Amino acid sequence: MKKALTALAAGVPLVAAAVYLPTASADETRDTATATTAACAAPSVRAPAGTKVESVTAVRHAGGTIHGTGLLGGEVSGVPAFCQVTVTLTHPGEGDHAKVQTWLPLAQWNGRFQAIGGSAYSAGDNGVGLGTAVKNGYAVTTTDAGVGDVLDTSWVLDSKGKVAGTPLKNFASRSQHEAAVVGKAVVDHVYGKRAAYSYFTGCSTGGRQGYMEAQAYPDDYDGILADAPAVNWDEFEVATLWPQVVLNNEKTYPTDCELDAFTGAAVKACDKLDGVRDGLVNDPSRCDFDPRRLIGTKVVCAGEELTITAADAAVVRKIWDGPRTTSGRKLWSGVPVGADLKGLARSVTDTDGTVKGQPFQVPALWVQLFLKKDPSFDLTKVTYSEFTKLFQQSRAEYDHVIGTDDPDLSAFRKSGGKLLTWHGLDDEYIPTEGTVRYRKQVERKMGGPQRVDDFYRLFLAPGTSHCGLNGQDGSADGLAALADWVEQGKAPRTLPATLTNASGEQVERNLCAYPQVSRYKGSGDPSLATSFRCVPSRH
């Protein structure tokens, strides 16, 4: 089962900054598994085009338990002995220093290469993903791109108060490609042969990096597992500040308990759309629950009875609907109806009793640093009209750099690459609709859904939060499914999943390849995947 990490920073859950850790339990049965005894010595590495190698080091590790660094933390145990090779790169004249780490199992290498993406504003893995990959027999690479931890944005503004172009370019695209080149070269040197297959894995920021690889560097990987991808970065990062803009402009701040009541009511109302009450909304596009139905409802929170007001319902309605201009033109999709509203619509009470919004740090930092170029900019003052200007500014300044929304994947298809994605339908930080929108754009560009299915498949996971962080995993083993597709030509029609429904019960489902959705057969145990089948969405 895939795992994801959570952490706390300044009292805010770092859910969007999660590392997605795929497993590969099926790998041991494949013919490419290789018993290997490797030497751990610093290899000679040829610098990728446009770079210079500053240093190469090699350290032998005994393995055991690996503790994750930085805010995400976490740990993985049972890691076998491995060789850690670190290559530091610079782009001459640009003053940057990017480290590429490659961990190589000293025995029982499975013959495969894996690269791992990052989280929030971190470009690479914190050690837990690397350890997990080594534990599963992979030689694995990640890069820090010369930037910092998940919320370390000290690199963004230069001494003149302008956005620093070199680290942004590294973070957006360049360093991932260079890590692929360096990592493969290290593998070749240490093992004396090339990896049989190469894969990229990541979720959130890592998912975006995977899509960037497919778009800009189509020959780097045989397969890319890119989940809950932060594509359309320049647009959705501003869009996810919208709930806070609504709270502050309406001067209405529903409590956490009231927000939960709205979500719970929506899930309950839309639960039966797939033919059975199973505690999951399998097709949220058909859910038209009106939050005004809760006006006057009593909610008990910390022993205090609260009454949901028309103002509360109006706020939630705007948040679900998503950002619009003052004239009503839709800018982006809103928070999914089944998602945790507290992720983006949380508020706090100051010591003087004043209630104000508490924005999620990732979009907050994007607006303050990349758009306003002012770390102290007061986000509570953003009006609806200024929000539209910020959205348009972000698109104009950054789409070409980090938008990651080029629908032309013809070179990736020609290279024989496979792209696999799952995205939680209850993602509270990256609206699923953005991924669906990108998939539709690819279909229009590349000849329709059937031709796209040949190399790119999307699976939507009911009841699943951002990167499966609330224990509601979207797939039992996405990496194994991807490897079967790449190595055996077995395209996944479904992905087996264990989900947690609204009652906290675990249920089995086979995630359906988009645009199909799961529908109850009319009989059978609703907790079993065999009681459901994939059918076209009725939306």
Side-chain angles (χ1 to χ4, degrees), residues 192-229:
K193 61 180 178 180
R194 300 177 63 182
Y197 300 98
S198 60
Y199 298 96
F200 181 93
T201 63
C203 190
S204 195
T205 284
R208 183 198 64 77
Q209 292 166 325
Y211 274 66
M212 181 64 83
E213 280 290 307
Q215 294 168 20
Y217 305 102
D219 298 321
D220 279 353
Y221 297 101
D222 300 303
I224 295 173
L225 179 65
D227 300 320

Side-chain angles (χ1 to χ4, degrees), residues 458-529:
L458 168 64
F459 297 82
L460 303 180
T464 304
S465 66
H466 185 62
C467 294
L469 287 173
N470 57 1
Q472 300 169 338
D473 271 347
S475 168
D477 201 338
L479 183 54
L482 178 63
D484 279 340
W485 194 7
V486 168
E487 300 173 22
Q488 308 296 332
K490 299 176 182 178
R493 295 184 177 182
T494 60
L495 287 182
T498 300
L499 308 178
T500 304
N501 66 18
S503 300
E505 303 165 333
Q506 287 196 331
V507 297
E508 297 177 5
R509 285 291 183 276
N510 288 324
L511 304 185
C512 302
Y514 176 83
Q516 293 192 318
V517 296
S518 182
R519 187 75 30 89
Y520 185 59
K521 291 180 178 179
S523 63
D525 186 346
S527 69
L528 299 179

Side-chain angles (χ1 to χ4, degrees), residues 428-484:
E428 66 274 49
Y429 293 105
I430 301 180
T432 317
E433 187 56 35
T435 303
V436 171
R437 173 180 172 174
Y438 176 77
R439 161 73 194 212
K440 290 179 178 178
Q441 290 172 333
V442 174
E443 290 176 2
R444 288 194 294 269
K445 181 72 176 180
M446 302 192 62
Q450 290 186 333
R451 293 198 67 192
V452 173
D453 277 346
D454 288 343
F455 71 95
Y456 169 25
R457 296 199 175 190
L458 168 64
F459 297 82
L460 303 180
T464 304
S465 66
H466 185 62
C467 294
L469 287 173
N470 57 1
Q472 300 169 338
D473 271 347
S475 168
D477 201 338
L479 183 54
L482 178 63
D484 279 340

